[in-house]
Amino acid sequence: SSEVLEAIENVIQGVLQSLAQNKAPVLTVANRTDWRNIEFKDSVGLQMIPQCTTKQIRSDCPQSAKRFALMLKILSMIYKMVQSNTYATKRDIYYSDTLLFGSQSVVDQIINDISCMLKIPRRSLHVLSTTKGFVAGNLSYSEEDGTKVNCTCSATVFTVPSNVQGIKNLTSHAKFILIVEKDATFQRLLDDDFFSKVSPCIMITGRGIPDLNTRLLVRKLWDSFQIPIFTLMDADPHGVEIMCIYKYGSVSMSFEAHHLTVPSIKWLGLLPSDLERLNICKDALIPFTKQDENKLASIQKRPYIACQPLWKKELEIMAASKLKAEIQVLTSLSSDYLSRVYLPNKLQFGGWL
């Protein structure tokens, strides 16, 4: 915490020095969304280059003066929280003055900018995200306050903890981890008692694009158990994008890649080639939208696809057919096909990429 306080004090000192010299104070932040600032490393995923381009948030420019003020406001809130060892969610910060901040996304972006500017992970700034992910299966752990959580003994789901860093005593007999894209599929697998039928496993869903805590938990489970991690996604560009976030990270959070990515993640399904192999009826598939085409084209250009020839092939199949499918399409074969046939066969015969 002394490191965090010192980093904030240095920023404020810079502001005061500028004022003392009759200069307009400026905050310098990295261009987090610029692909030119990102490099791809097999072992880490997408990470920010050390000499990245920056942008200035000036206090004397009408376009950025408000953002400058909001950054100082949030820095002061973080400073107080670190000093008093209290925590707040990004939502708490927004609701502390909704008129001032204007929207939740403004708060989210500023917190990420501050984290990147100070080179300090967001958790160390005492800012927590509201968690939306779920976890179930063969796992137990203790939360920071000592609460014991046992996911193993019931078919209930547990919310991913809001302070993943603080959980300890993780134990599991799981043979693998299954990341499920959507809540509906996750619930279906729970209802079918999948995680105890095939072999003990841990199931996680970020319920769409994963939040930070879900990604941190996946990484923590990988560090703790070093067991295979598979993804079960829709066979569409959006599903592929989500899988890539878990595996290689996102551009906007590339400055934290080392804590968030798990490059060993495998693509289990639903593969575009599965649709042909299983003779899924064409009528059950969904035609691409223009947005799907653009998304797929942008994914195909990304640096990590070049080193995944098998993935590349699957994306080419998808691009050629211009058709996509949700995991639920397997119910056209039989209501429990996913948990009774598809997943057990894939896991037994190595049907992943």
Side-chain angles (χ1 to χ4, degrees), residues 116-157:
C116 185
M117 175 176 76
L118 300 178
K119 295 187 172 50
I120 289 169
R122 195 165 75 194
R123 310 169 284 301
S124 305
L125 301 176
H126 287 229
V127 178
L128 304 172
S129 320
T130 317
T131 298
K132 66 184 177 98
F134 290 144
V135 60
N138 196 294
L139 174 70
S140 57
Y141 57 86
S142 306
E143 293 206 349
E144 198 179 23
D145 62 1
T147 310
K148 285 186 169 53
V149 176
N150 188 353
C151 312
T152 309
C153 59
S154 64
T156 48
V157 298

Side-chain angles (χ1 to χ4, degrees), residues 14 73 193:
K73 166 77 176 165
D193 199 20

Side-chain angles (χ1 to χ4, degrees), residues 31-99:
N31 267 328
R32 288 187 297 114
T33 52
D34 190 338
W35 272 94
R36 288 170 300 183
N37 285 337
I38 311 297
E39 63 178 354
F40 170 65
K41 250 196 176 162
D42 258 2
S43 57
V44 183
L46 300 175
Q47 61 175 13
M48 193 169 265
I49 58 173
Q51 285 77 38
C52 63
T53 60
T54 55
K55 56 184 178 187
Q56 291 196 327
I57 297 167
R58 302 189 60 85
S59 57
D60 60 347
C61 164
Q63 282 81 29
S64 62
K66 184 176 180 184
R67 195 170 187 86
F68 179 90
L70 292 181
M71 281 187 82
L72 288 192
K73 166 77 176 165
I74 292 178
L75 275 169
S76 78
M77 292 171 86
I78 290 169
Y79 193 85
K80 281 178 195 152
M81 289 191 298
V82 175
Q83 259 187 332
S84 58
N85 198 24
T86 53
Y87 287 82
T89 63
K90 295 186 298 182
R91 241 178 129 61
D92 296 333
I93 291 174
Y94 168 59
Y95 279 109
S96 69
D97 199 332
T98 51
L99 279 176

